[in-house]
C-alpha cells in the first residue's frame, strides 16, 4: 500500500510541478500583451451564454456533425470522468474508496462507464477522420495540412490510455475480495471486462487493479504535462478564450481602436502590430488556444484559391513567434512597449512581417470572416490581420502599390475611383421621379437618408442596382433623400487595408455631415457601407439606425407594400455578400424576397449562408492585383454556374462587379445574368406587364429592365393587382 501511494503521489507531484511551471510561464507570457480593458468590462451574461452554447453546447463544432459529435462526447467524457480521477486518488489510499454520498450511485456508475466507452468510440472516429484527411494524401485540401499531426496522434494515444487503464483497473476491482468496485451492473463496461478477468482469480485481479490504477494516475499526470506543451492546451484555454471574446461575435465591425488625431501622435507612438508583444493579451491568448483543427483553413477563400494565406498557419506562426520571443516578452522591453518586468535594455526584435508573416499572406485576406465564423474556440483572425496591416501601412508605408491610388483617391476625391463628388447624383438621371438631394437638413416628410455608396453612385453596373432599389422604394411609398455631393467614402476600404488614420478622418467627416443634416434612419445598399456606419461609426460618435436595402425590401414585401409580379420565371441562386451575411447575419431576408417572386426558383450553392464563399473584393482586395492562384471570383462563379441558375442574385455592388466580371470571363453573359435583388424584384414586375405578349425566354437584359422598369413597374403592378 505504501509503495503504491509513494509511486502514485510521486508521479503526480512531479507532473503537477512541471505542468504548473509551464502554466505559470504561459500566463506571464499572455499577460505581457497590451491591455484589452473592454474584454473584462460590460455585462457578464453574453459571456456566460457563450460558455453555455460554445463550450458546453459545442455549437460551432456540431455544425460539422461527425467530428462535432466525436468532440462533444470527448469533451463531456473528460469533464464527467473527473469523478473517476477523484475515485482513482481515493483508491490509491483506500482500495474500497467511494465518493461520499454519491460514490455508489448506479446513475454515477452508468454515466462514468457510458462516457468512458463513448470517448473510446470518439477516438476511433477521430482516427478515421485523421487518416482520411491525412495531409500526405490530400495535401492542401486537407484541413490538417500544416498542423502538428504527430502531436495529435500522441494525444489520441494518451486519451485512449487514460480510458483503457481506467476500465481495466475498475474491471479488476470487480473481482477482488472484498470487492473494491463500488458500482452495480449499471457500470456495464467495468462489469463486462470484469467478467472476462474473473477467471484469473482474486489475487491476480488485486494486482491488476493496483498496477492499472497506478498506470491510470501516471497517464493522467503525464497527459497534463503533455497538454501544457501541446496544441491540446485548448482544453484549458478554450473556455477562457470564449469568455473573453468579442460579443456578440468578433465579426461586423473591427475591434475598437483608439481615437486617432495627429495631436496625440508622438515619436513613440506605434500604430498597429509590428512585433508580437504589440498584440493585446487577448490576441496572445488566441494564439495559444488554437487547436490546429484547420476548420478556418478549409473555408478560407484565399487558401482555397491557391494563395499562401491560411488563417490556421497564420495563427500558428504568430504563436511560434510568441514562444520564440518569450525571453524578450518577459524580460526585455522594446520600443513602444515594455516587457512584463521591464528590466533589461531593449533588444532588436525581428518584425512579424516579413519574418513570420509573408506579405503575400497578409495581403491575401478578404476579411470575409469565414475563419472567425468557423473557429470553435472563437479566435479573432481578422482583427489580428488588420492590426498587422495597420503597422505595414502606417509605420512602414509598405502595401501593394496598386492600392495606393485608391487611398489617394479616397483622401482627395472622397471615393476610391477618384471620380469626384459632383458625379454622385448622375445615377438619379435615369429615374422618372425626383430624389431630394439634402443640402441643409432632411425634410420632415422624408423618412430615410439613402446612403448610396461610392460603387452604387459611380460604377455603371452597380448603379443599376441602386436605381432599381430607388424605384422599388419609391413604388412602395418609402420616402428618402440622398446626400449627393455631400456623401463621401465611409472609409471601409481604407480601414481594411490598414489606413486607420484615413478611415477615422472619413468617418468623422461623414458623421459630422450626417449629424448636420439630422440623419437618423439610413438605408444602405452597399454591405460595406452598411457595416461601417452601423457597427464602426458608433465608436466615433455616430449612432444611426441603419438598414440594408435587402432588409427593407423584405419588410416591404412582408407588409404587402411591394408585391412582386408573376412574370419572371427562372432559377435564381443567391450569393451571400460576406458583410451582409456572415458579418451582419442578414441571411433570411434576401431569400424571403426571392421566394416572394412567384416564378423564381431559388437554388442554393453548396457554400451558402454562414459558409458563403467570398467574391474576392472585401478587405480592400478590390483594389489589389490578384496574381497568385485562381481568382476568388472565378471560383465562386464556377459554383454559381454549376447550379444551372439563369440569374445570380446578390445584394452588394462589389459582389455584382466581381461576379459579373467572372461570368463574362466564362463567356456566359448570354445565359446567366448577375442582378441585384432589387433588379430581380423590378424585373418580375416589368415582365408581368408584358407577360401576355412576351415569352419568359425573351426576358429583357438588365439594362433594359433598369431603363424600362420605372416606366412600366407601376402599371405592371396595377395590372397584376386587378
Ligand atoms: S477573413 Fe476570409 S480570407 Fe481572411 S483569413 Fe479569414 S477566411 Fe481567409
Ligand atoms: S484558428 Fe480556430 S479554426 Fe483555425 S485551426 Fe485554430 S482552432 Fe481551428
Amino acid at each position: 500500500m505504501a509503495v503504491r501511494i509513494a509511486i502514485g503521489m510521486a508521479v503526480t507531484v512531479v507532473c503537477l510541478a512541471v505542468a504548473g511551471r509551464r502554466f505559470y510561464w504561459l500566463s506571464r507570457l499572455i499577460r505581457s500583451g497590451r491591455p484589452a480593458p473592454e474584454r473584462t468590462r460590460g455585462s457578464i451574461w453574453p459571456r456566460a451564454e457563450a460558455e453555455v452554447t460554445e463550450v458546453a453546447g459545442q455549437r460551432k463544432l456540431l455544425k460539422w456533425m461527425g467530428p462535432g459529435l466525436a468532440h462533444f462526447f470527448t469533451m463531456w467524457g473528460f469533464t464527467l470522468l473527473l469523478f473517476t480521477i477523484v475515485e482513482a486518488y481515493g483508491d490509491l489510499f483506500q482500495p474500497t474508496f467511494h465518493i461520499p454520498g454519491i460514490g455508489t450511485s448506479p446513475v454515477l456508475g452508468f454515466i462514468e462507464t457510458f462516457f468512458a466507452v463513448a470517448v473510446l468510440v470518439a477516438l476511433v472516429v477521430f482516427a478515421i477522420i485523421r487518416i482520411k484527411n491525412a495531409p500526405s494524401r490530400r495535401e492542401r485540401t486537407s484541413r490538417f495540412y500544416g498542423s502538428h499531426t504527430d502531436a495529435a496522434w500522441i494525444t489520441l494515444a494518451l486519451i485512449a490510455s487514460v480510458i483503457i487503464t481506467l476500465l481495466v483497473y475498475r474491471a479488476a476491482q470487480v473481482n477482488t475480495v472484498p470487492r473494491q468496485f463500488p458500482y452495480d451492473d449499471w457500470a456495464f463496461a467495468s462489469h463486462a471486462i470484469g467478467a472476462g478477468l474473473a477467471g484469473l482469480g482474486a489475487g491476480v485481479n488485486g494486482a491488476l487493479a493496483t498496477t492499472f490504477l497506478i498506470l491510470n494516475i501516471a497517464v493522467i499526470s503525464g497527459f497534463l504535462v503533455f497538454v501544457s506543451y501541446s496544441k491540446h492546451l485548448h482544453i484549458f484555454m478554450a473556455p477562457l478564450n470564449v469568455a473573453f471574446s468579442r460579443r456578440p461575435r468578433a465579426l461586423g465591425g473591427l475591434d475598437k481602436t483608439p481615437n486617432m488625431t495627429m495631436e496625440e501622435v508622438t515619436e513613440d507612438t506605434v500604430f498597429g502590430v509590428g512585433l508580437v508583444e504589440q498584440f493585446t493579451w487577448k490576441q496572445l491568448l488566441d494564439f495559444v488556444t488554437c487547436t490546429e483543427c484547420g476548420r478556418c483553413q478549409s473555408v478560407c477563400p484565399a487558401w482555397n484559391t491557391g494563395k499562401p494565406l491560411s488563417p490556421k498557419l497564420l495563427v500558428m506562426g504568430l504563436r511560434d513567434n510568441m514562444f520564440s520571443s518569450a525571453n524578450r516578452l518577459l524580460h526585455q522591453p522594446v520600443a513602444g512597449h515594455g516587457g512584463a518586468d521591464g528590466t533589461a535594455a531593449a533588444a532588436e526584435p525581428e518584425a512579424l512581417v516579413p519574418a513570420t508573416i509573408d506579405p503575400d499572406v497578409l495581403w491575401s485576406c478578404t476579411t470575409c470572416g469565414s475563419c472567425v465564423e468557423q473557429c470553435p474556440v472563437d479566435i479573432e483572425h481578422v482583427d489580428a490581420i488588420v492590426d498587422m496591416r495597420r503597422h505595414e501601412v502606417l509605420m512602414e508605408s509598405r502595401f501593394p502599390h496598386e492600392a495606393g491610388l485608391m487611398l489617394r483617391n479616397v483622401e482627395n476625391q472622397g471615393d476610391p475611383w477618384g471620380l469626384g463628388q459632383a458625379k454622385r447624383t448622375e445615377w438619379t438621371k435615369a429615374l422618372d421621379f425626383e430624389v431630394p438631394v439634402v443640402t441643409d437638413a432632411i425634410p420632415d416628410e422624408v423618412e430615410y437618408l439613402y446612403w448610396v455608396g461610392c460603387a452604387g453612385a459611380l460604377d455603371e453596373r452597380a448603379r443599376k442596382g441602386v436605381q432599381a432599389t430607388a424605384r422599388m422604394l419609391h413604388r412602395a411609398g418609402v420616402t428618402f433623400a440622398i446626400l449627393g455631393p455631400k456623401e463621401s467614402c465611409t472609409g471601409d476600404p481604407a480601414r481594411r487595408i490598414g489606413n486607420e488614420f484615413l478611415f477615422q478622418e472619413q468617418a468623422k467627416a461623414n458623421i459630422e455631415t450626417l449629424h448636420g443634416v439630422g440623419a437618423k434612419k439610413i438605408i444602405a445598399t452597399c454591405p460595406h457601407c452598411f457595416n461601417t456606419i452601423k457597427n464602426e461609426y458608433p465608436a466615433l460618435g455616430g449612432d444611426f439606425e441603419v438598414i440594408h436595402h435587402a432588409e427593407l425590401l423584405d419588410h416591404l414585401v412582408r407588409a404587402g407594400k411591394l408585391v412582386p409580379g408573376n412574370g419572371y420565371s427562372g432559377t435564381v441562386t443567391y450569393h451571400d455578400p460576406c458583410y451582409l451575411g456572415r458579418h451582419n447575419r442578414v441571411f433570411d431576408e434576401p431569400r424571403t424576397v426571392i421566394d416572394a417572386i412567384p416564378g423564381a426558383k431559388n437554388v442554393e450553392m453548396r457554400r451558402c449562408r454562414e459558409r458563403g464563399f467570398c467574391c474576392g473584393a472585401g478587405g480592400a482586395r478590390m483594389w489589389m492585383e490578384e496574381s497568385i492562384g485562381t481568382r476568388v471570383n472565378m471560383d465562386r462563379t464556377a459554383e454559381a454556374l454549376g447550379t444551372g441558375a439563369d440569374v445570380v442574385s446578390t445584394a452588394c455592388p462589389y459582389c455584382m462587379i466581381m461576379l459579373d466580371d467572372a461570368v463574362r470571363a466564362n463567356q456566359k453573359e448570354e445565359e446567366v445574368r448577375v442582378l441585384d435583388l432589387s433588379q430581380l424584384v423590378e424585373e418580375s414586375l416589368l415582365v408581368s406587364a408584358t407577360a401576355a405578349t412576351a415569352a419568359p425566354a425573351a426576358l429583357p437584359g438588365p439594362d433594359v429592365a433598369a431603363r424600362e422598369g420605372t416606366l412600366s413597374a407601376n402599371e405592371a403592378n396595377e395590372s397584376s393587382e386587378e
Side-chain angles (χ1 to χ4, degrees), residues 290-296 312 315 374-377 379 381:
C290 177
T291 70
E292 302 181 16
C293 69
R295 283 170 166 79
C296 56
K312 175 187 75 179
V315 169
Q374 289 298 329
C375 181
V377 293
I379 288 170
H381 318 69

Side-chain angles (χ1 to χ4, degrees), residues 450-453 456 462 465-467 469-470 473 523-530 547-550 580 651-653 676 678:
Y450 185 11
W451 186 276
V452 181
V466 164
Q467 288 159 344
T469 301
L473 298 183
I523 305 166
T525 271
C526 171
H528 300 266
C529 299
F530 170 67
I547 187 168
H548 186 267
H549 78 268
L580 186 62
C652 169
D676 185 90
S678 297

Side-chain angles (χ1 to χ4, degrees), residues 151 236 245 319 337 401 456:
F236 298 104
S245 283
R319 179 189 59 199
H337 180 66
H401 67 91

